[in-house]
Amino acid sequence: MRNSLVALLAALVAASAVLLGAGSAEAAGYRYWSFWDGNGKNWEYATQGPSLLRPDDGAVQGFRFAVSEDSGDAAQPRRAPDFGAICADTPAKDGRKRVALVIDPGTAADAPDGEKPPAPRTACAQVAPDASSAEALASVAKPLRYDNSAMLCAISGYPKSGCGEQVSGEDGSAKPSSSSQPPSSSETGDASNTAQDEGDGGGGPSVGLLVGVGAVLLLGVAAVVQARRRR
């Protein structure tokens, strides 16, 4: 009887591990350009899209191309948000503002198939006082490419194709989603941030899956108790 109970519990634990593993395997991210604000020392995920945000003179903003599941998982630009260093050779001018930009196309691991990311670079955009972040970027990093919902798809022509496509969490192969709208700002139609988790929120095991695992374990415990009563 003892051997039978041990075998039963082992089978239940193995089944639970398989179910939880299957839930984790569903994790997926998006390949996209994320948008960042520099606070002088660190990067902070932007709360507005580049077409809406109108930075002040002296602002530092970053763009990073990578695969991530959500805003908490997003990769930051790999250059420091140092306005003094980036705009050192661009003197101030009346009636214009300077915005320091860090453009990081990411690593080969995040690049679409057949493409090689350019090297990260910085630029100091000198634009009109009311210019948006998107306009500042366009002044130094053309050509830009947007989709029909105004989502930023490419900077300086990179990547050549694709726009926020969903990527498999298992092998990293591109799997275009029927609603390929990755990180977007809270404002409808803007190309920005705040990646939205789909379905079970972040790719972890869903609530239903966890409930199912719990039910299996409870059934196993009940079987053990019933077996002991029969002894």
Side-chain angles (χ1 to χ4, degrees):
M1 176 64 72
R2 180 175 297 175
N3 290 338
S4 298
L5 292 177
V6 171
L8 174 61
L9 289 176
L12 289 171
V13 170
S16 300
V18 170
L19 288 173
L20 289 173
S24 298
E26 294 174 359
Y30 295 95
R31 181 183 286 120
Y32 69 100
W33 281 99
S34 58
F35 178 45
W36 300 80
D37 281 324
N39 62 13
K41 294 183 178 180
N42 303 305
W43 290 109
E44 298 176 350
Y45 205 78
T47 57
Q48 287 184 298
S51 64
L52 293 179
L53 187 61
R54 299 185 183 280
D56 295 329
D57 179 69
V60 185
Q61 300 188 315
F63 295 84
R64 172 68 189 268
F65 189 77
V67 173
S68 60
E69 294 180 25
D70 52 41
S71 59
D73 177 59
Q76 299 182 4
R78 292 171 293 170
R79 298 286 178 87
D82 188 340
F83 177 84
I86 297 172
C87 288
D89 297 329
T90 306
K93 184 184 297 186
D94 290 342
R96 308 286 286 179
K97 67 180 178 183
R98 293 177 297 169
V99 179
L101 299 172
V102 175
I103 303 169
D104 187 346
T107 66
D110 291 327
D113 291 343
E115 295 202 51
K116 181 179 179 180
R121 68 186 183 94
T122 62
C124 186
Q126 194 162 56
V127 291
D130 62 346
S132 67
S133 300
E135 291 170 324
L137 180 64
S139 71
V140 297
K142 289 181 179 179
L144 304 181
R145 178 167 56 85
Y146 292 87
D147 69 2
N148 55 14
S149 65
M151 179 177 174
L152 180 61
C153 303
I155 297 177
S156 297
Y158 181 79
K160 296 178 181 178
S161 62
C163 191
E165 64 268 25
Q166 187 172 336
V167 176
S168 168
E170 291 183 344
D171 57 13
S173 60
K175 292 185 178 180
S177 169
S178 59
S179 59
S180 84
Q181 183 67 28
S184 60
S185 68
S186 57
E187 295 80 5
T188 302
D190 184 51
S192 176
N193 293 330
T194 314
Q196 299 172 348
D197 301 333
E198 292 189 348
D200 57 14
S206 67
V207 174
L209 178 60
L210 294 176
V211 171
V213 171
V216 170
L217 292 176
L218 286 175
L219 288 174
V221 172
V224 171
V225 172
Q226 185 68 21
R228 287 182 175 178
R229 288 179 178 175
R230 290 176 179 175
R231 294 179 59 183

